[in-house]
Amino acid sequence: MDGYKLATYQASDGARAGLVIDDKVFDAAKLTGKAAYATVLGILEDWRTAQGVLRKAAAAAGKSRIKPLPLGHAKLLAPVRWPSAIYCAGANYADHAAEMARRMNRPPEPDPHTQGLKAWHFIKAARTLADPSATVKISGYSSEMDWEVELAAANDLSARDRGRRANISDTSPFKSDWTKHKTFDGSCPLGPWIVPARDIGDPQNLGLKLWVNDVLKQDSHSKNMIFNLAEQIAQLSSGMTLHPGDIILTGTPAGVGAARGEFLKAGDVVKIWIEKIGTLTNKMA
């Protein structure tokens, strides 16, 4: 079998790129014999060649003398350390846009395609990434912390009460504060690994789910995106260079806490699942 997932794991000498094959984690550089593949960024920067090398190595892993780690004993880290940027799509699921319109007693917005509009994104700082299973501290920062499952297997944590500046008129163009709203330590749990596109198939045909304390909150599908992945990449790359390892969070579907007046608190456990990728779990503190 030549299937694998690309991960970063904690080794005795620091963070290392690993190939997750079945229930084992192999050191990518050791398994392939390529020192540059010690990091996921090193692999992604050489992706045209690396994908064939990794497939070949994965197919032969069962006969390799390289000793793997059992997956259950490996400490997985955010798979990319560190991207040059994290781009986040805003209001990009039709079902989410509809629930927020209902919450605010507004009529549904028309499909932006019919208005000639393009996808739009904001940016999170790369160092806001949180590892799989990491605890994210939210107490003392926000009383309206929201969850958002997003394709890229990330949880775009959102401090809803920090998104609008106090003592500023609602009509002011300076009312919004996207930095405090979306960028704080641990605000982008990411993982558990990267699945090569060849093993995903159509990215617009994936189920997405999110649970808080085992209660299902979001249950949707990537077909509900307003702007698909190809449109988002085209729009972003039209004005800037996208670099290997850059992350694009492609929007969240219906079921967020803001739509129901319900928010995260210390002790809550958030679990997200994306079809063909995997599960990411983080605890709030």
Side-chain angles (χ1 to χ4, degrees), residues 40-80:
V40 168
L41 274 180
I43 291 171
L44 296 178
E45 287 167 354
D46 189 42
W47 185 244
R48 287 189 179 182
T49 299
Q51 53 188 320
V53 173
L54 296 179
R55 282 201 305 270
K56 184 177 179 180
K63 299 177 182 178
S64 172
R65 294 183 180 180
I66 302 300
K67 186 177 180 180
L69 274 173
L71 179 57
H73 295 170
K75 177 177 174 54
L76 296 183
L77 307 175
V80 180

Side-chain angles (χ1 to χ4, degrees), residues 105-146:
N105 294 315
R106 295 188 321 221
E109 295 283 344
D111 184 334
H113 289 95
T114 65
Q115 300 172 298
L117 299 177
K118 304 289 185 181
W120 68 274
H121 298 77
F122 57 91
I123 294 179
K124 279 187 183 248
R127 295 284 176 161
T128 61
L129 291 180
D131 300 324
S133 301
T135 297
V136 178
K137 185 179 183 302
I138 62 172
S139 293
Y141 185 80
S142 169
S143 60
E144 295 184 5
M145 188 65 65
D146 209 345

